[in-house]
Amino acid sequence: MIEVTLGKRFSQGDEPELVEVIDAFSEKLLRYATSILCNHHDAEDVVQRVFLQAYQNRKKFDGENISAWLYKITYNHCMNQLKKRRIFFFSDIRDVVEAVSAPHEEADSNASVLEMLCLLRAEDRALVYGRVINEQSYDELALIFGKSPAALRKQYERAKKKLAEYLVAEGKHSGRRHEHEHGFEHI
């Protein structure tokens, strides 16, 4: 309910409401963008562009689900950034771990999760991040990705299978216990 209230005020408001939206979402969107781009500096640029675009288009926003709207804008900017760079897979994510890890989280566990995520296609990274880290429903993800919840469920299952294959290939997979250790109990 708070999000709907914030969304409605933002869609009709001005700079004070923008500041409130930035305060509420900047950290989350930065982590999301960093997980997709695997580059903290590019993610910072994307998030700035997201808030600029959101502010410029606030009158067109219906005010209903500001979170999904901002994540969709972020996702689209990230995909455009990757297209410009022509990069969709990553193998070195040391810079990403620092950017995405919150101070209260364990960096080693996050490093392992992010390392695996960066081996996925960008769209799959965004989906897994949304499902596991942000705990978003398939309905909310459908708003972000512009796909049906059923299609996203299937895509998520394929991404989950790829992650399991990476674990096996690296000799790290020892059943469900390993998945739980790395935060993939939702997968």
Side-chain angles (χ1 to χ4, degrees):
M1 190 63 168
I2 293 171
E3 188 175 302
V4 172
T5 305
L6 177 58
K8 295 255 187 231
R9 283 196 331 267
F10 177 72
S11 68
Q12 299 166 358
D14 212 348
E15 289 182 29
E17 288 76 17
L18 173 63
V19 170
E20 192 175 350
V21 168
I22 289 171
D23 288 345
F25 290 98
S26 62
E27 179 111 0
K28 294 174 187 176
L29 294 178
L30 181 60
R31 287 185 185 172
Y32 180 67
T34 302
S35 74
I36 296 170
L37 298 171
C38 295
N39 182 300
H40 182 70
H41 299 291
D42 287 349
E44 288 176 325
D45 292 342
V46 162
V47 171
Q48 287 178 3
R49 288 193 307 265
V50 166
F51 287 122
L52 178 62
Q53 181 180 348
Y55 183 71
Q56 290 171 339
N57 294 304
R58 70 189 181 284
K59 303 291 183 192
K60 298 175 189 173
F61 173 59
D62 66 9
E64 286 301 312
N65 193 336
I66 194 165
S67 177
W69 186 60
L70 291 171
Y71 276 100
K72 181 176 185 154
I73 296 169
T74 305
Y75 173 77
N76 289 335
H77 276 288
C78 287
M79 297 309 286
N80 289 338
Q81 182 75 18
L82 290 172
K83 286 176 187 173
K84 287 179 192 171
R85 290 180 8 208
R86 299 190 193 291
I87 297 175
F88 294 94
F89 294 92
F90 299 89
S91 59
D92 185 10
I93 50 81
R94 285 172 271 187
D95 296 335
V96 180
V97 174
E98 288 180 31
V100 178
S101 298
H104 62 280
E105 296 173 335
E106 294 182 25
D108 290 342
S109 177
N110 284 339
S112 183
V113 170
L114 289 171
E115 183 176 343
M116 287 184 287
L117 283 178
C118 286
L119 294 172
L120 294 174
R121 291 180 319 122
E123 185 174 323
D124 290 341
R125 281 195 304 274
L127 177 60
V128 170
Y129 190 90
R131 232 6 234 149
V132 176
I133 307 297
N134 287 345
E135 299 178 348
Q136 292 168 310
S137 70
Y138 287 110
D139 290 334
E140 185 172 10
L141 291 168
L143 295 172
I144 296 167
F145 286 86
K147 294 182 178 182
S148 73
L152 289 172
R153 206 172 280 113
K154 286 179 185 179
Q155 182 178 344
Y156 180 74
E157 289 300 318
R158 286 191 301 270
K160 180 174 86 169
K161 184 177 178 181
K162 287 177 193 174
L163 287 172
E165 289 170 2
Y166 292 144
L167 286 169
V168 169
E170 292 184 19
K172 295 180 180 180
H173 187 62
S174 59
R176 297 286 300 166
R177 186 180 67 82
H178 181 77
E179 291 172 358
H180 180 73
E181 287 173 1
H182 291 89
F184 285 102
E185 59 272 6
H186 297 85
I187 294 182

